[in-house]
PDB file of all heavy atoms in Angstrom:
ATOM      1  N   THR A 393      31.766 128.288-160.389  1.00 97.00           N
ATOM      2  CA  THR A 393      32.844 129.241-160.116  1.00 97.00           C
ATOM      3  C   THR A 393      33.899 129.155-161.202  1.00 97.00           C
ATOM      4  O   THR A 393      34.376 130.175-161.721  1.00 97.00           O
ATOM      5  CB  THR A 393      33.481 128.928-158.744  1.00 97.00           C
ATOM      6  OG1 THR A 393      32.499 129.095-157.725  1.00 97.00           O
ATOM      7  CG2 THR A 393      34.663 129.840-158.473  1.00 97.00           C
ATOM      8  N   GLY A 394      34.279 127.928-161.557  1.00 95.00           N
ATOM      9  CA  GLY A 394      35.247 127.745-162.637  1.00 95.00           C
ATOM     10  C   GLY A 394      34.733 128.295-163.951  1.00 95.00           C
ATOM     11  O   GLY A 394      35.478 128.929-164.710  1.00 95.00           O
ATOM     12  N   ALA A 395      33.441 128.073-164.221  1.00 93.00           N
ATOM     13  CA  ALA A 395      32.856 128.587-165.461  1.00 93.00           C
ATOM     14  C   ALA A 395      32.880 130.112-165.487  1.00 93.00           C
ATOM     15  O   ALA A 395      33.126 130.725-166.536  1.00 93.00           O
ATOM     16  CB  ALA A 395      31.428 128.079-165.606  1.00 93.00           C
ATOM     17  N   ALA A 396      32.640 130.736-164.326  1.00 93.00           N
ATOM     18  CA  ALA A 396      32.665 132.206-164.257  1.00 93.00           C
ATOM     19  C   ALA A 396      34.055 132.743-164.564  1.00 93.00           C
ATOM     20  O   ALA A 396      34.200 133.789-165.226  1.00 93.00           O
ATOM     21  CB  ALA A 396      32.205 132.669-162.879  1.00 93.00           C
ATOM     22  N   LEU A 397      35.086 132.050-164.108  1.00 92.00           N
ATOM     23  CA  LEU A 397      36.449 132.494-164.392  1.00 92.00           C
ATOM     24  C   LEU A 397      36.803 132.298-165.863  1.00 92.00           C
ATOM     25  O   LEU A 397      37.497 133.125-166.460  1.00 92.00           O
ATOM     26  CB  LEU A 397      37.443 131.749-163.512  1.00 92.00           C
ATOM     27  CG  LEU A 397      37.521 132.178-162.053  1.00 92.00           C
ATOM     28  CD1 LEU A 397      38.566 131.357-161.317  1.00 92.00           C
ATOM     29  CD2 LEU A 397      37.842 133.666-161.931  1.00 92.00           C
ATOM     30  N   VAL A 398      36.326 131.207-166.461  1.00 90.00           N
ATOM     31  CA  VAL A 398      36.618 130.939-167.877  1.00 90.00           C
ATOM     32  C   VAL A 398      36.044 132.046-168.757  1.00 90.00           C
ATOM     33  O   VAL A 398      36.678 132.495-169.715  1.00 90.00           O
ATOM     34  CB  VAL A 398      36.062 129.564-168.285  1.00 90.00           C
ATOM     35  CG1 VAL A 398      36.080 129.387-169.796  1.00 90.00           C
ATOM     36  CG2 VAL A 398      36.864 128.455-167.613  1.00 90.00           C
ATOM     37  N   ARG A 399      34.837 132.496-168.410  1.00 84.00           N
ATOM     38  CA  ARG A 399      34.214 133.553-169.223  1.00 84.00           C
ATOM     39  C   ARG A 399      34.408 134.935-168.584  1.00 84.00           C
ATOM     40  O   ARG A 399      33.526 135.791-168.671  1.00 84.00           O
ATOM     41  CB  ARG A 399      32.729 133.253-169.420  1.00 84.00           C
ATOM     42  CG  ARG A 399      31.893 133.203-168.171  1.00 84.00           C
ATOM     43  CD  ARG A 399      30.403 133.093-168.510  1.00 84.00           C
ATOM     44  NE  ARG A 399      29.589 133.265-167.337  1.00 84.00           N
ATOM     45  CZ  ARG A 399      29.208 132.286-166.516  1.00 84.00           C
ATOM     46  NH1 ARG A 399      29.596 131.043-166.761  1.00 84.00           N
ATOM     47  NH2 ARG A 399      28.441 132.550-165.473  1.00 84.00           N
ATOM     48  N   HIS A 400      35.566 135.142-167.971  1.00 78.00           N
ATOM     49  CA  HIS A 400      35.789 136.372-167.214  1.00 78.00           C
ATOM     50  C   HIS A 400      35.730 137.628-168.069  1.00 78.00           C
ATOM     51  O   HIS A 400      35.468 138.719-167.571  1.00 78.00           O
ATOM     52  CB  HIS A 400      37.131 136.311-166.483  1.00 78.00           C
ATOM     53  CG  HIS A 400      38.313 136.302-167.389  1.00 78.00           C
ATOM     54  ND1 HIS A 400      38.770 135.149-167.995  1.00 78.00           N
ATOM     55  CD2 HIS A 400      39.137 137.301-167.804  1.00 78.00           C
ATOM     56  CE1 HIS A 400      39.828 135.439-168.729  1.00 78.00           C
ATOM     57  NE2 HIS A 400      40.069 136.725-168.639  1.00 78.00           N
ATOM     58  N   ARG A 401      35.962 137.485-169.375  1.00 77.00           N
ATOM     59  CA  ARG A 401      35.929 138.679-170.232  1.00 77.00           C
ATOM     60  C   ARG A 401      34.513 139.072-170.630  1.00 77.00           C
ATOM     61  O   ARG A 401      34.262 140.220-170.977  1.00 77.00           O
ATOM     62  CB  ARG A 401      36.766 138.436-171.489  1.00 77.00           C
ATOM     63  CG  ARG A 401      38.248 138.271-171.205  1.00 77.00           C
ATOM     64  CD  ARG A 401      39.051 138.178-172.499  1.00 77.00           C
ATOM     65  NE  ARG A 401      40.452 137.960-172.234  1.00 77.00           N
ATOM     66  CZ  ARG A 401      41.334 138.914-171.925  1.00 77.00           C
ATOM     67  NH1 ARG A 401      40.925 140.170-171.831  1.00 77.00           N
ATOM     68  NH2 ARG A 401      42.602 138.620-171.701  1.00 77.00           N
ATOM     69  N   THR A 402      33.595 138.119-170.577  1.00 81.00           N
ATOM     70  CA  THR A 402      32.230 138.402-171.027  1.00 81.00           C
ATOM     71  C   THR A 402      31.187 138.272-169.915  1.00 81.00           C
ATOM     72  O   THR A 402      30.068 138.760-170.062  1.00 81.00           O
ATOM     73  CB  THR A 402      31.839 137.442-172.171  1.00 81.00           C
ATOM     74  OG1 THR A 402      31.963 136.086-171.718  1.00 81.00           O
ATOM     75  CG2 THR A 402      32.760 137.654-173.379  1.00 81.00           C
ATOM     76  N   GLY A 403      31.544 137.608-168.818  1.00 78.00           N
ATOM     77  CA  GLY A 403      30.590 137.386-167.737  1.00 78.00           C
ATOM     78  C   GLY A 403      30.405 138.619-166.867  1.00 78.00           C
ATOM     79  O   GLY A 403      31.178 139.587-166.952  1.00 78.00           O
ATOM     80  N   PRO A 404      29.385 138.607-166.014  1.00 92.00           N
ATOM     81  CA  PRO A 404      29.157 139.730-165.086  1.00 92.00           C
ATOM     82  C   PRO A 404      30.383 139.957-164.195  1.00 92.00           C
ATOM     83  O   PRO A 404      30.957 139.006-163.652  1.00 92.00           O
ATOM     84  CB  PRO A 404      27.949 139.271-164.265  1.00 92.00           C
ATOM     85  CG  PRO A 404      27.261 138.263-165.124  1.00 92.00           C
ATOM     86  CD  PRO A 404      28.344 137.565-165.879  1.00 92.00           C
ATOM     87  N   ARG A 405      30.768 141.214-164.037  1.00 93.00           N
ATOM     88  CA  ARG A 405      31.977 141.548-163.293  1.00 93.00           C
ATOM     89  C   ARG A 405      31.904 141.065-161.844  1.00 93.00           C
ATOM     90  O   ARG A 405      32.887 140.550-161.299  1.00 93.00           O
ATOM     91  CB  ARG A 405      32.185 143.064-163.330  1.00 93.00           C
ATOM     92  CG  ARG A 405      33.426 143.558-162.602  1.00 93.00           C
ATOM     93  CD  ARG A 405      33.647 145.038-162.924  1.00 93.00           C
ATOM     94  NE  ARG A 405      34.762 145.578-162.168  1.00 93.00           N
ATOM     95  CZ  ARG A 405      34.660 146.168-160.984  1.00 93.00           C
ATOM     96  NH1 ARG A 405      33.472 146.268-160.412  1.00 93.00           N
ATOM     97  NH2 ARG A 405      35.722 146.655-160.377  1.00 93.00           N
ATOM     98  N   ALA A 406      30.748 141.207-161.205  1.00 96.00           N
ATOM     99  CA  ALA A 406      30.609 140.798-159.805  1.00 96.00           C
ATOM    100  C   ALA A 406      30.824 139.295-159.647  1.00 96.00           C
ATOM    101  O   ALA A 406      31.453 138.838-158.685  1.00 96.00           O
ATOM    102  CB  ALA A 406      29.232 141.196-159.277  1.00 96.00           C
ATOM    103  N   GLU A 407      30.322 138.505-160.584  1.00 97.00           N
ATOM    104  CA  GLU A 407      30.481 137.056-160.507  1.00 97.00           C
ATOM    105  C   GLU A 407      31.939 136.654-160.670  1.00 97.00           C
ATOM    106  O   GLU A 407      32.419 135.734-159.998  1.00 97.00           O
ATOM    107  CB  GLU A 407      29.617 136.370-161.566  1.00 97.00           C
ATOM    108  CG  GLU A 407      28.122 136.495-161.298  1.00 97.00           C
ATOM    109  CD  GLU A 407      27.291 135.658-162.255  1.00 97.00           C
ATOM    110  OE1 GLU A 407      27.892 134.935-163.094  1.00 97.00           O
ATOM    111  OE2 GLU A 407      26.051 135.721-162.160  1.00 97.00           O
ATOM    112  N   VAL A 408      32.643 137.333-161.550  1.00 97.00           N
ATOM    113  CA  VAL A 408      34.064 137.043-161.747  1.00 97.00           C
ATOM    114  C   VAL A 408      34.850 137.356-160.479  1.00 97.00           C
ATOM    115  O   VAL A 408      35.741 136.596-160.061  1.00 97.00           O
ATOM    116  CB  VAL A 408      34.623 137.840-162.950  1.00 97.00           C
ATOM    117  CG1 VAL A 408      36.132 137.654-163.063  1.00 97.00           C
ATOM    118  CG2 VAL A 408      33.933 137.398-164.236  1.00 97.00           C
ATOM    119  N   ARG A 409      34.527 138.455-159.841  1.00 97.00           N
ATOM    120  CA  ARG A 409      35.232 138.840-158.622  1.00 97.00           C
ATOM    121  C   ARG A 409      34.972 137.840-157.480  1.00 97.00           C
ATOM    122  O   ARG A 409      35.884 137.464-156.743  1.00 97.00           O
ATOM    123  CB  ARG A 409      34.813 140.254-158.209  1.00 97.00           C
ATOM    124  CG  ARG A 409      35.318 141.329-159.181  1.00 97.00           C
ATOM    125  CD  ARG A 409      34.683 142.686-158.904  1.00 97.00           C
ATOM    126  NE  ARG A 409      35.158 143.265-157.660  1.00 97.00           N
ATOM    127  CZ  ARG A 409      36.282 143.957-157.520  1.00 97.00           C
ATOM    128  NH1 ARG A 409      37.083 144.143-158.563  1.00 97.00           N
ATOM    129  NH2 ARG A 409      36.616 144.481-156.356  1.00 97.00           N
ATOM    130  N   LEU A 410      33.715 137.394-157.352  1.00 98.00           N
ATOM    131  CA  LEU A 410      33.405 136.388-156.343  1.00 98.00           C
ATOM    132  C   LEU A 410      34.139 135.085-156.659  1.00 98.00           C
ATOM    133  O   LEU A 410      34.690 134.435-155.759  1.00 98.00           O
ATOM    134  CB  LEU A 410      31.900 136.147-156.280  1.00 98.00           C
ATOM    135  CG  LEU A 410      31.452 135.006-155.353  1.00 98.00           C
ATOM    136  CD1 LEU A 410      31.927 135.243-153.920  1.00 98.00           C
ATOM    137  CD2 LEU A 410      29.939 134.835-155.392  1.00 98.00           C
ATOM    138  N   ALA A 411      34.161 134.695-157.922  1.00 98.00           N
ATOM    139  CA  ALA A 411      34.839 133.462-158.307  1.00 98.00           C
ATOM    140  C   ALA A 411      36.325 133.529-157.976  1.00 98.00           C
ATOM    141  O   ALA A 411      36.919 132.550-157.512  1.00 98.00           O
ATOM    142  CB  ALA A 411      34.640 133.206-159.802  1.00 98.00           C
ATOM    143  N   PHE A 412      36.937 134.683-158.189  1.00 97.00           N
ATOM    144  CA  PHE A 412      38.359 134.847-157.880  1.00 97.00           C
ATOM    145  C   PHE A 412      38.610 134.690-156.380  1.00 97.00           C
ATOM    146  O   PHE A 412      39.569 134.035-155.960  1.00 97.00           O
ATOM    147  CB  PHE A 412      38.821 136.227-158.359  1.00 97.00           C
ATOM    148  CG  PHE A 412      40.292 136.476-158.183  1.00 97.00           C
ATOM    149  CD1 PHE A 412      41.218 135.871-159.021  1.00 97.00           C
ATOM    150  CD2 PHE A 412      40.757 137.307-157.186  1.00 97.00           C
ATOM    151  CE1 PHE A 412      42.582 136.094-158.859  1.00 97.00           C
ATOM    152  CE2 PHE A 412      42.101 137.537-157.007  1.00 97.00           C
ATOM    153  CZ  PHE A 412      43.020 136.931-157.859  1.00 97.00           C
ATOM    154  N   LEU A 413      37.732 135.263-155.571  1.00 98.00           N
ATOM    155  CA  LEU A 413      37.867 135.157-154.118  1.00 98.00           C
ATOM    156  C   LEU A 413      37.721 133.706-153.659  1.00 98.00           C
ATOM    157  O   LEU A 413      38.508 133.212-152.834  1.00 98.00           O
ATOM    158  CB  LEU A 413      36.805 136.028-153.444  1.00 98.00           C
ATOM    159  CG  LEU A 413      36.805 136.046-151.910  1.00 98.00           C
ATOM    160  CD1 LEU A 413      38.058 136.725-151.389  1.00 98.00           C
ATOM    161  CD2 LEU A 413      35.551 136.755-151.392  1.00 98.00           C
ATOM    162  N   VAL A 414      36.725 133.004-154.188  1.00 98.00           N
ATOM    163  CA  VAL A 414      36.504 131.608-153.813  1.00 98.00           C
ATOM    164  C   VAL A 414      37.693 130.749-154.231  1.00 98.00           C
ATOM    165  O   VAL A 414      38.144 129.873-153.477  1.00 98.00           O
ATOM    166  CB  VAL A 414      35.203 131.077-154.453  1.00 98.00           C
ATOM    167  CG1 VAL A 414      35.086 129.569-154.292  1.00 98.00           C
ATOM    168  CG2 VAL A 414      33.990 131.772-153.837  1.00 98.00           C
ATOM    169  N   CYS A 415      38.230 131.007-155.415  1.00 98.00           N
ATOM    170  CA  CYS A 415      39.368 130.218-155.897  1.00 98.00           C
ATOM    171  C   CYS A 415      40.615 130.450-155.047  1.00 98.00           C
ATOM    172  O   CYS A 415      41.439 129.544-154.891  1.00 98.00           O
ATOM    173  CB  CYS A 415      39.655 130.548-157.361  1.00 98.00           C
ATOM    174  SG  CYS A 415      38.459 129.792-158.494  1.00 98.00           S
ATOM    175  N   ALA A 416      40.754 131.632-154.484  1.00 98.00           N
ATOM    176  CA  ALA A 416      41.890 131.891-153.594  1.00 98.00           C
ATOM    177  C   ALA A 416      41.788 131.021-152.343  1.00 98.00           C
ATOM    178  O   ALA A 416      42.785 130.441-151.883  1.00 98.00           O
ATOM    179  CB  ALA A 416      41.934 133.365-153.211  1.00 98.00           C
TER     180      ALA A 416
END
Side-chain angles (χ1 to χ4, degrees):
T393 297
L397 284 181
V398 168
R399 62 172 189 271
H400 67 278
R401 294 186 183 278
T402 58
R405 181 170 176 268
E407 292 187 3
V408 174
R409 291 169 70 84
L410 174 58
F412 184 74
L413 180 67
V414 169
C415 284

